[in-house]
Amino acid sequence: MFERGIEIKTPAQIEIMRRAGLVVGKTLELLRHSAAAGMTTGELDAIAHDNIRSLGATSNFLGYHGFTGVICTSVNDEVVHGIPGARVLNDGDIISIDCGAIVDGWHGDAAITVAIGEVPAEVTELMRVTEESMWRGIAAASLGGRVSDISHAIETYIEGEGDYGIVEGYTGHGIGTAMHQPPNVPNYGRPGRGPKLVKGLALAVEPMVSLGTADSRTLADDWTVVTADGTWAAHFEHSFTLTDQGTWILTALDGGEAKLEELGIPFGGR
Ligand code: MG
Ligand code: MG
């Protein structure tokens, strides 16, 4: 059912989205432990493809507007949408791995950023701030609130942590029978705006944060987004929904229970 262009899911449909979310979460955990110096991004993609298939799901990235991977692999100054291929990971790199899957027509979408070996402390901190901002954004979402409550919480957290660039021009999004649906979920903005947060809404929250500028550009491959100033960027993403009980992270292996408890947010999953 759609209300003003926003897809409202039944509890049964959310259950299927949870299955898709678990495929994504499990695949990302496998990739987190697989990523190593000397490996190519194409090899990571092959691992992801095998895993998604073996879990009985299909990829929503592969063939998306002609995309050739089942994951996006964005290394160092690459922000998002990097194409897996011959690039070799080196000790000291960071890589954003964005993954999606479809189960019975319902989509999941999430991303992590992983360090390959040792990285400078400021890069570790960039990754921590980016991931935490995603959680703070999700934690700011409650039934009856508005989409930009999430945006504002992400921005407020990042700005409180130091001098970072919140990459402009890319947002989180609604998710359901398609990977990208209305509404957009910006990573900054004033609270109390945008569509109401209601039961049956599912949103992907995905801050992209750099050590420098908020500006980016797209490489000649027409996909890879890099920071305009060459500083490194991190990217984390989860898909979540709100139930009467609380918040449910559809792409987290534990449904988000542990982290939500730490943030004092009721767990809405099962
Ligand atoms: Mg994604
Ligand atoms: Mg997404």
Side-chain angles (χ1 to χ4, degrees), residues 41-66:
T41 54
E43 288 173 302
L44 280 178
D45 187 70
I47 291 169
H49 205 171
D50 281 351
N51 200 60
I52 290 168
R53 261 195 302 242
S54 74
L55 294 171
T58 55
S59 170
N60 40 12
F61 284 31
L62 188 64
Y64 183 86
H65 296 281

Side-chain angles (χ1 to χ4, degrees), residues 30-180:
L30 175 64
L31 296 173
R32 181 199 302 282
H33 294 108
S34 303
M39 203 171 186
T40 66
T41 54
E43 288 173 302
L44 280 178
D45 187 70
I47 291 169
H49 205 171
D50 281 351
N51 200 60
I52 290 168
R53 261 195 302 242
S54 74
L55 294 171
T58 55
S59 170
N60 40 12
F61 284 31
L62 188 64
Y64 183 86
H65 296 281
F67 194 75
T68 52
V70 304
I71 54 175
C72 295
T73 50
S74 308
V75 180
N76 300 345
D77 64 318
E78 298 172 355
V79 183
V80 286
H81 304 166
I83 306 169
R87 181 165 186 168
V88 177
L89 296 174
N90 291 308
D91 202 30
D93 285 345
I94 60 170
I95 178 173
S96 155
I97 305 170
D98 197 337
C99 181
I102 309 171
V103 170
D104 292 346
W106 294 88
H107 291 241
D109 183 15
I112 56 175
T113 300
V114 178
I116 307 300
E118 290 280 307
V119 299
E122 66 164 4
V123 174
T124 303
E125 180 65 2
L126 167 72
M127 292 167 53
R128 186 198 67 75
V129 167
T130 306
E131 183 171 19
E132 186 67 18
S133 76
M134 171 195 70
W135 284 105
R136 299 300 177 103
I138 292 169
S142 62
L143 293 176
R146 300 273 180 175
V147 165
S148 80
D149 298 348
I150 300 166
S151 316
H152 184 69
I154 293 169
E155 178 182 25
T156 302
Y157 181 77
I158 294 167
E159 294 201 328
E161 293 303 300
D163 204 9
Y164 295 101
I166 304 176
V167 177
E168 295 176 358
Y170 301 91
T171 68
H173 48 91
I175 182 166
T177 53
M179 179 162 56
H180 295 131

